[in-house]
Amino acid sequence: MKPDGSVTGSPVKKRNCVLNLRSVKAGETVIQSEATSLFLCVDDEDNLKGQLHYSEGDCTFQELLLEDGYSSFLSPHSKLPVSLLSKQSGQKRSAPCSRFLPVMNTQLAGKEEDIQIQDVKHYIKDINLDSDDPLGIGHQSHIQTVFSPSLHTKK
Amino acid sequence: MFGVWSVCVSLVLILWGTSEKVQGKASKLWLQPLNETFLQTGVFPSGFLWGVGTVAFPTEGSWDADGKGESVWDRFTRHTDPSSDSYIQWEEDLESVRYLGVNFYSFSLSWTRIFPDGNVKAHPNPAGVQHYRRLIGKLKELQVEPVVTLFHWDLPQVLQERFGGWLNQSTADVFADYTAFCFRTFGAEVRYWITMHNPFLLAIQGYGTGAHGPGVTGDPADPFIAAHNLLRAHAKAWHLYDKHFRRHQRGNVSITLGSHWVEPLHGQAMPTNLELCQKAMEAVIGWFAEPIYGSGDYPESLKASHRGVIPEFSAQERLWIKGTTDFFSLAFGRETLRVGQGLARFGQTVKLDLRSVLVWVQQTYSDPQLLLAESGWFTDASVGVQDTKAIYLMKRFIMQVMQAVSVDGVRVFGYTAWTLLDGFEWNHGYSIRRGLFYIDFSKPERRRLLKTSAHFYRRLVRDNGFPAENTPHIEGRFPCDFQFGVSESVLQVHLRPFSPQFTDPQLYRWNLSGDGALSPVMGILLHTRPVQCTDFLFIQRHLFLLGVTGSAHYRFALDWTQLSPGGDPEKVRFYRCVLMELQRRGIRPVVTLYHPSYRSPSLGLPEALHADGGWRNASAVEAFVSYAAFCFHKFGDFVSTWITVNEPNRLTEAYTEDRNLLLAHVKAWRIYDERFRQKQGGAVSLAIHADWVEPADPFLESHKSAQQQFLAFEVGRFLDPLIGNEGCGNGFSNAERVEFKGALDFIALNHFTTRLVAPWENAKPQKPEHGCALMTDVTWPASHLRQALVPWGLRRMLGWVRDRYGDRLPIIVTATGVDDQAVHDDQLRQSYIRSYLQEALKARELDGVNLRGFYIWKLQDHHDLRFGLFSSAAHHSRPKASVSLYRDIISHRGFPSAADLRPLTCRDADSGTSCELCTRIAENKPLLFFSVCVSISASMLCVLVIISVVRKRRRTPINVRPQRLRVQLRFPMMKVAQGSYAIKP
């Protein structure tokens, strides 16, 4: 899930890919992006999107546990399994629906260095001219952590 | 004053002459980025002018006092309070200027204070004229040069209402009359005149967006008309001065132009991007600079994109406008950058890069003399007199100017710190502060309070830049027992690739003449050789890299998750093989028992321990101790230096973890001391992450104590209980204190970088526990991961440790290094190794620190974290340039003087001391060999002579039959051996 709310599948693990699953009722799950705090919802055309505010009718998915341990999620509108394939790709319904396997989050909790490195890269990219600290001299999170190369050995 | 520059100038021109032919104006600046320079220190040329500036509208206040008329900004903001009260307290201002010790004071005249309704034909307001006379007179008295801006945006409101301000051509004539009056009245005392300040902002904000006074909006042509009239007004003023005043007054007149800076998006210097960057620059600074410094007309790109709205200069006008300045006056500030980012970035990236702007101006407008008339940032209104961040922004700007002057040869002759006082900052009002002096706007007395940035600027002016504080380079060698090493993290067990040799006991028959097949000979089994270390192919490959570096010391960590009492013996054998191979190669190992890293999901702990809460659980201590004893037992014969835990201070988040980690170390140390030391004679320590910190604001006691607090927390909380003096409570019982005391054989420090430290301004957060805020000095050269290169930080860190713990224990820097993105030519790392080793030498030689070793972190890259001396195995383990540099330093054992450059050979201390004869023999090896050869050949010769003499005497025929027989006998055997049998490898 990108910060603009668009939702796509990704072949690689990224911070954006970490979703927090919470059960709200038996078999009903609310999905929230860890990085952007956007809720995963469906719009009127049954497309997946991220939105800031939770609404029960759009953002509660029914979770079906499959025999092999994977699960699929049913859209709150159409009750059809949701798919991560892009709807524009023309494969609309013929595409196999996505199956999901909830896994331990190895992207955020144990991987502080990734966040740090990303923060740093973010600072390199853009300068905030409205800040009295446009160059990131102090008080940013990535500076507050004492970074040690010997601990942060990337996997 | 320009005379000082003449030498410099001619030099630059010579350099420039060669490169000027490159086609396309200045676009090469983006193609070839400026020389990356590590230049950190240096002073400006003598005669460089330091200054500080203010502006009338934000500071003077008294908007209608003593007959002052209303300006467009008075009307636009309806601001009536005294601002900084400078009209009244101007003497206080000059006291502040005097305190700073600057060479010039830049200020602007308030037009309506001199001509209240803008009407220059009327009598001037005597109070206003008197005010500026006094101001200039007092400056002269203080020997501070006035730099006077005639017009800084505060147009008389009457002119705006009567003529439409700068949209009317006649305003330029009125302006010219006003400037003539000022030249006549004040010109005798003024060397530097600025006709107007940043007309770009006035045109765009005042007549386009409406964010500035007079706030005209609507017609897209307005900014261009205003700009057109502003340019004419400037040219008129300059010609006036040139014609009537220059001869007597000998001053210089210019116009201050604002600039932003843009770089290709994502750093992609493609032709289209370069063109857009050039276009962006031409749309802001070029708009005004090109008519004056260039062709006399607007830039072609601007004319093309605004055809129809942009007015035209006649050919005559172009000639008349061109060249109407005596030097280049540049403003580089937030407002122009912001507007430029909004209106003129053309999809590219706006950067805060003053050095590039200076070089761009140098290249585009034929290397002018340049005054930086405004440069600086701002702080939020809430920031008081401790404006630490402002210090580093200012430092960065000035350092960029220094680099532009000394590296790129830009002819900057003066720098203006912006500004002297907090004031009513135009459309931002009191929401931002820009002064070196603080004013509390809620208090009527408007006292000027010194900010720490003023301290900083004062020191900088006094020093004329950044003189080197560091001790200059020293020459000298490290002693023979100094450990030049390489450090690695966990050396993973690599049982594969595995190439067993001589393990097949079968004998084979090889049918060479037939089908060439091998078939086993049944019933015969040969003896095979036992398993060998060479079977592990990884070890040879890995240690080969180490050999290339030339270092005889290697630090690596065992994988705790793979080693446990009763575990897989093959893994134990793997590490034993590593150690044996190291021994064979004469490389001394330093072995870390537990090296936590994020590479492992359990942080390097065995899974079961991790699941039980890791170090929060006391059971981890027991597990570690038995693991340590196991390792001492299995590997101790080969290892003389042990590290129990690597960087426990990076690992812990809770007090219990601290305590357990410390306990684990102490217990492991005790076991070694009791059971292994006598036999193995090694040393045991734990490696502390010890980056240096400097007080962010060197002028504040609170920051100095934050530094001590931080260091005591980072380093002290582990080392104090072990080797510190009494009084480190830390919540340990008396018995524990006794147990901890002295449980360390040497001090191991991992040092990578230096940071700035400050106390938290508000409430202390829960995390981090050291209770300090960290900052970074943006002028320090930094790596891709923003690790700053501060070599002297190492020396200070070592000094601090020595001061705190005495020099009883030796110190080893067990890891130090930097990431560098370069695939081969890792300039940053080379500079790091050279400079950090140099500081290590200073610490030894000058400070008497008992430093025994220096281990580069690390041997090999791991994916895209580029700390390695070699690229990762996936990139074929290629050596980077720093390998040969390090090798070179090792072979010279440091930095010997040029007269003594031969490599120093150190004999192995252990074997060398055993017998004198051995050393004699070793010393005279070639001679001995030669004499042995000579004696052997001499004796051979003797024997030959004797034999031939004896044979000659006998002269009896020799029976040849036995010889023949022997040949015949041998033949079938050979045939058999070649034909039928072979041993399968």
Side-chain angles (χ1 to χ4, degrees):
Chain A
M1 192 185 292
K2 292 189 184 143
D4 64 2
S6 62
V7 179
T8 51
S10 159
V12 288
K13 283 187 184 178
K14 283 188 281 194
R15 278 192 76 202
N16 283 340
C17 301
V18 181
L19 299 175
N20 196 353
L21 272 62
R22 247 176 311 164
S23 174
V24 286
K25 265 184 232 160
E28 293 192 358
T29 305
V30 172
I31 301 171
Q32 192 180 13
S33 163
E34 193 74 46
T36 59
S37 298
L38 295 177
F39 289 97
L40 185 73
C41 307
V42 289
D43 62 14
D44 299 336
E45 276 137 38
D46 220 23
N47 293 324
L48 287 172
K49 60 167 184 181
Q51 71 181 41
L52 202 55
H53 302 290
Y54 168 74
S55 79
E56 200 182 337
D58 298 334
C59 311
T60 318
F61 295 87
Q62 228 176 355
E63 187 174 2
L64 286 185
L65 252 176
L66 307 177
E67 307 86 345
D68 53 6
Y70 283 82
S71 49
S72 63
F73 294 96
L74 303 187
S75 152
H77 289 172
S78 60
K79 301 294 175 197
L80 287 169
V82 297
S83 167
L84 279 179
L85 289 166
S86 158
K87 300 272 163 150
Q88 282 80 16
S89 67
Q91 297 173 306
K92 207 166 182 178
R93 292 288 172 229
S94 62
C97 57
S98 306
R99 299 183 309 163
F100 301 88
L101 184 64
V103 289
M104 281 288 284
N105 167 23
T106 56
Q107 283 292 298
L108 283 178
K111 293 290 161 212
E112 284 175 37
E113 82 276 23
D114 286 6
I115 299 171
Q116 270 194 334
I117 289 161
Q118 282 179 1
D119 280 353
V120 167
K121 284 179 180 161
H122 174 77
Y123 265 97
I124 295 167
K125 211 174 3 178
D126 256 334
I127 277 181
N128 180 3
L129 298 174
D130 290 327
S131 160
D132 72 344
D133 185 10
L135 299 170
I137 290 167
H139 300 286
Q140 281 79 32
S141 60
H142 75 277
I143 291 178
Q144 292 316 314
T145 327
V146 183
F147 175 87
S148 165
S150 77
L151 179 67
H152 295 271
T153 310
K154 209 177 180 185
K155 197 167 187 174
Chain B
M1 63 134 302
F2 292 129
V4 192
W5 285 84
S6 55
V7 179
C8 220
V9 173
S10 53
L11 225 162
V12 167
L13 286 178
I14 291 162
L15 285 174
W16 215 241
T18 55
S19 56
E20 191 68 318
K21 293 182 195 92
V22 183
Q23 76 341 333
K25 254 188 194 173
S27 61
K28 61 177 181 286
L29 190 57
W30 290 289
L31 266 178
Q32 301 165 343
L34 297 171
N35 288 345
E36 180 81 31
T37 174
F38 300 136
L39 186 70
Q40 289 296 294
T41 56
V43 290
F44 283 81
S46 65
F48 189 85
L49 299 177
W50 296 99
V52 64
T54 55
V55 186
F57 172 76
T59 58
E60 278 187 0
S62 311
W63 76 280
D64 59 351
D66 298 341
K68 177 181 174 292
E70 191 184 22
S71 78
V72 291
W73 273 94
D74 292 327
R75 177 67 63 89
F76 184 69
T77 56
R78 304 272 174 197
H79 175 72
T80 54
D81 91 355
S83 300
S84 321
D85 203 24
S86 282
Y87 180 64
I88 311 291
Q89 301 194 39
W90 61 275
E91 278 173 303
E92 301 297 318
D93 290 351
L94 295 195
E95 187 52 34
S96 307
V97 170
R98 198 192 57 76
Y99 173 85
L100 293 172
V102 290
N103 309 103
F104 69 86
Y105 177 51
S106 149
F107 62 94
S108 78
L109 303 178
S110 167
W111 190 340
T112 53
R113 208 174 280 290
I114 297 171
F115 295 104
D117 56 1
N119 181 4
V120 184
K121 301 283 184 284
H123 282 293
N125 174 21
V129 173
Q130 177 64 13
H131 172 71
Y132 293 117
R133 275 223 168 97
R134 279 182 311 193
L135 185 66
I136 293 170
K138 181 80 183 181
L139 281 168
K140 285 283 174 186
E141 212 172 283
L142 294 170
Q143 295 184 319
V144 175
E145 196 69 44
V147 173
V148 185
T149 300
L150 289 159
F151 173 62
H152 197 132
W153 307 347
D154 48 354
L155 185 75
Q157 177 65 23
V158 176
L159 294 182
Q160 183 62 34
E161 284 168 7
R162 201 172 294 161
F163 304 114
W166 289 105
L167 297 178
N168 192 321
Q169 202 175 330
S170 58
T171 303
D173 300 321
V174 183
F175 176 76
D177 293 343
Y178 158 67
T179 55
F181 172 82
C182 294
F183 292 147
R184 197 161 48 240
T185 313
F186 310 113
E189 309 276 21
V190 178
R191 295 278 80 77
Y192 298 99
W193 289 102
I194 307 290
T195 54
M196 58 186 69
H197 187 91
N198 208 339
F200 168 79
L201 281 181
L202 175 54
I204 287 282
Q205 301 276 69
Y207 294 87
T209 65
H212 279 187
V216 175
T217 56
D219 192 337
D222 280 354
F224 295 96
I225 296 165
H228 204 68
N229 290 327
L230 283 162
L231 276 167
R232 280 181 173 149
H234 160 77
K236 269 185 200 291
W238 186 86
H239 279 292
L240 254 171
Y241 190 84
D242 200 46
K243 209 171 193 179
H244 302 296
F245 300 98
R246 188 185 295 282
R247 208 139 45 88
H248 312 291
Q249 300 184 349
R250 298 173 189 282
N252 301 287
V253 182
S254 185
I255 175 173
T256 298
L257 303 181
S259 185
H260 65 337
W261 179 247
V262 279
E263 276 181 8
L265 192 65
H266 308 309
Q268 293 163 341
M270 295 175 303
T272 47
N273 281 358
L274 298 186
E275 209 172 289
L276 289 171
C277 284
Q278 181 70 11
K279 217 171 150 183
M281 294 300 288
E282 285 174 355
V284 178
I285 186 171
W287 184 1
F288 296 87
E290 190 62 25
I292 297 171
Y293 298 93
S295 61
D297 200 356
Y298 296 115
E300 291 302 327
S301 67
L302 196 72
K303 285 203 292 188
S305 56
H306 293 90
R307 210 172 292 285
V309 288
I310 194 162
E312 278 180 35
F313 288 120
S314 66
Q316 206 178 353
E317 268 181 318
R318 272 179 234 154
L319 279 175
W320 176 72
I321 284 179
K322 196 177 158 179
T324 53
T325 59
D326 304 319
F327 59 94
F328 200 107
S329 178
L330 179 75
F332 188 71
R334 178 228 189 178
E335 209 60 23
T336 313
L337 281 153
R338 252 167 56 114
V339 174
Q341 193 179 42
L343 298 174
R345 65 191 288 192
F346 295 94
Q348 310 303 305
T349 312
V350 171
K351 281 270 166 80
L352 209 53
D353 187 352
L354 177 53
R355 182 180 164 201
S356 292
V357 178
L358 289 170
V359 176
W360 189 87
V361 168
Q362 178 199 38
Q363 297 185 358
T364 313
Y365 303 116
S366 27
D367 195 19
Q369 293 270 3
L370 201 148
L371 170 73
L372 208 56
E374 178 196 340
S375 155
W377 208 244
F378 68 96
T379 63
D380 293 334
S382 58
V383 176
V385 293
Q386 302 184 0
D387 56 341
T388 309
K389 279 184 275 186
I391 289 181
Y392 290 95
L393 279 158
M394 179 193 274
K395 187 177 175 189
R396 153 110 166 185
F397 286 135
I398 296 177
M399 194 159 286
Q400 287 193 325
V401 176
M402 185 188 77
Q403 289 168 350
V405 170
S406 53
V407 180
D408 312 312
V410 182
R411 299 194 293 155
V412 185
F413 67 88
Y415 179 89
T416 316
W418 201 261
T419 72
L420 181 69
L421 298 171
D422 289 346
F424 186 82
E425 287 294 335
W426 309 99
N427 46 329
H428 301 289
Y430 292 132
S431 71
I432 60 171
R433 296 179 177 276
R434 302 195 66 180
L436 292 170
F437 286 80
Y438 175 88
I439 291 175
D440 183 346
F441 293 107
S442 67
K443 302 254 173 63
E445 59 268 35
R446 300 289 202 261
R447 277 188 52 214
R448 282 96 170 100
L449 299 174
L450 201 67
K451 296 189 191 179
T452 47
S453 54
H455 278 294
F456 175 79
Y457 190 56
R458 180 185 193 218
R459 192 179 67 181
L460 203 151
V461 169
R462 189 197 62 203
D463 295 343
N464 194 28
F466 309 93
E469 288 170 33
N470 204 1
T471 325
H473 182 91
I474 63 165
E475 291 172 342
R477 293 180 193 263
F478 291 94
C480 276
D481 61 352
F482 189 84
Q483 306 167 20
F484 291 100
V486 179
S487 195
E488 256 294 334
S489 79
V490 177
L491 189 68
Q492 308 278 343
V493 177
H494 285 83
L495 300 183
R496 301 271 176 271
F498 187 73
S499 170
Q501 288 171 21
F502 312 116
T503 56
D504 189 350
Q506 292 279 359
L507 188 69
Y508 292 85
R509 182 191 298 270
W510 183 13
N511 188 357
L512 181 66
S513 50
D515 58 359
L518 289 168
S519 50
V521 179
M522 300 314 258
I524 300 176
L525 287 180
L526 304 172
H527 284 289
T528 58
R529 293 177 62 179
V531 285
Q532 292 167 60
C533 283
T534 44
D535 299 346
F536 300 116
L537 296 187
F538 168 81
I539 296 177
Q540 293 289 335
R541 283 182 207 162
H542 189 71
L543 298 187
F544 170 76
L545 302 184
L546 200 62
V548 175
T549 65
S551 57
H553 296 267
Y554 180 48
R555 176 177 174 228
F556 68 94
L558 303 173
D559 190 347
W560 186 2
T561 60
Q562 304 291 317
L563 289 174
S564 54
D568 184 356
E570 196 64 355
K571 288 169 180 166
V572 176
R573 196 170 76 81
F574 172 81
Y575 282 122
R576 277 185 71 89
C577 283
V578 172
L579 291 165
M580 281 161 72
E581 185 58 26
L582 284 169
Q583 192 179 50
R584 199 181 65 76
R585 291 167 182 250
I587 295 169
R588 301 281 186 86
V590 174
V591 178
T592 309
L593 291 172
Y594 172 50
H595 187 116
S597 102
Y598 282 124
R599 205 196 276 184
S600 138
S602 62
L603 277 171
L605 282 174
E607 281 297 337
L609 286 178
H610 184 64
D612 279 353
W615 289 103
R616 279 186 291 276
N617 193 329
S619 67
V621 177
E622 293 314 314
F624 179 77
V625 173
S626 69
Y627 160 67
F630 175 75
C631 294
F632 295 149
H633 173 68
K634 291 286 182 193
F635 311 120
D637 305 337
F638 301 106
V639 181
S640 57
T641 314
W642 292 96
I643 302 288
T644 52
V645 184
N646 187 58
E647 298 186 3
N649 51 339
R650 274 293 63 73
L651 189 63
T652 63
E653 280 170 2
Y655 162 71
T656 48
E657 292 182 38
D658 260 13
R659 189 188 154 85
N660 285 338
L661 282 160
L662 202 51
L663 259 174
H665 162 76
V666 170
K667 284 179 188 285
W669 188 88
R670 293 270 168 226
I671 283 197
Y672 191 83
D673 202 41
E674 285 157 18
R675 287 173 37 198
F676 299 95
R677 189 185 295 280
Q678 208 175 5
K679 206 169 120 230
Q680 300 178 351
V684 182
S685 181
L686 84 171
I688 301 291
H689 183 221
D691 283 347
W692 181 244
V693 286
E694 278 288 305
D697 199 326
F699 304 100
L700 292 173
E701 282 307 315
S702 62
H703 287 224
K704 287 179 195 161
S705 58
Q707 177 196 28
Q708 291 309 317
Q709 184 187 335
F710 182 88
L711 291 169
F713 180 82
E714 275 287 291
V715 181
R717 80 182 195 276
F718 283 95
L719 290 187
D720 283 359
L722 301 173
I723 50 172
N725 299 318
E726 295 306 318
C728 324
N730 226 2
F732 295 113
S733 70
N734 273 336
E736 279 175 332
R737 254 179 242 176
V738 172
E739 192 188 6
F740 285 6
K741 195 90 196 147
L744 200 72
D745 297 323
F746 63 95
I747 298 171
L749 304 174
N750 293 354
H751 177 92
F752 298 95
T753 187
T754 293
R755 297 180 178 79
L756 299 176
V757 70
W760 276 103
E761 281 155 20
N762 308 317
K764 275 186 191 174
Q766 284 299 305
K767 251 180 88 175
E769 297 82 357
H770 50 73
C772 302
L774 293 169
M775 299 170 83
T776 180
D777 182 338
V778 280
T779 65
W780 287 336
S783 71
H784 184 70
L785 290 174
R786 314 312 292 162
Q787 182 186 320
L789 223 79
V790 192
W792 46 263
L794 172 66
R795 184 176 168 197
R796 292 193 187 179
M797 186 74 234
L798 292 170
W800 185 87
V801 169
R802 198 264 323 268
D803 291 346
R804 194 174 176 96
Y805 302 111
D807 41 18
R808 188 178 64 80
L809 293 182
I811 303 175
I812 294 177
V813 176
T814 42
T816 179
V818 72
D819 63 298
D820 190 323
Q821 291 299 101
V823 178
H824 175 72
D825 190 17
D826 49 352
Q827 301 270 349
L828 189 78
R829 184 175 298 107
Q830 291 180 58
S831 161
Y832 184 98
I833 293 174
R834 207 182 294 115
S835 56
Y836 274 68
L837 261 170
Q838 167 67 215
E839 293 299 315
L841 186 68
K842 284 180 195 167
R844 271 190 63 93
E845 299 296 316
L846 307 179
D847 311 339
V849 173
N850 187 6
L851 182 68
R852 294 283 179 81
F854 185 92
Y855 287 74
I856 302 283
W857 177 269
K858 58 189 251 178
L859 188 62
Q860 205 167 2
D861 283 347
H862 208 88
H863 295 260
D864 61 344
L865 268 188
R866 306 240 171 97
F867 281 87
L869 293 170
F870 291 83
S871 63
S872 63
H875 292 94
H876 310 291
S877 307
R878 291 204 181 90
K880 301 177 188 173
S882 49
V883 171
S884 63
L885 171 90
Y886 192 42
R887 199 186 164 86
D888 201 44
I889 293 177
I890 294 174
S891 71
H892 292 105
R893 301 208 73 77
F895 307 92
S897 62
D900 185 22
L901 265 178
R902 77 199 151 75
L904 182 77
T905 45
C906 284
R907 286 184 309 279
D908 199 315
D910 290 343
S911 59
T913 50
S914 55
C915 67
E916 207 183 324
L917 186 68
C918 309
T919 53
R920 284 259 178 99
I921 289 171
E923 274 171 10
N924 301 317
K925 256 183 200 164
L927 199 65
L928 276 172
F929 179 72
F930 183 66
S931 57
V932 167
C933 286
V934 167
S935 56
I936 286 175
S937 43
S939 53
M940 289 280 278
L941 206 66
C942 286
V943 170
L944 273 175
V945 168
I946 292 166
I947 287 174
S948 58
V949 168
V950 170
R951 277 190 177 180
K952 270 184 183 171
R953 278 190 189 165
R954 283 201 187 156
R955 287 255 161 204
T956 45
I958 299 164
N959 194 349
V960 292
R961 263 173 59 204
Q963 272 188 344
R964 256 188 211 154
L965 184 70
R966 231 182 270 154
V967 172
Q968 279 170 351
L969 269 176
R970 210 162 44 189
F971 186 64
M973 285 167 68
M974 277 169 69
K975 201 175 171 186
V976 171
Q978 284 176 354
S980 305
Y981 296 100
I983 291 166
K984 190 195 170 194

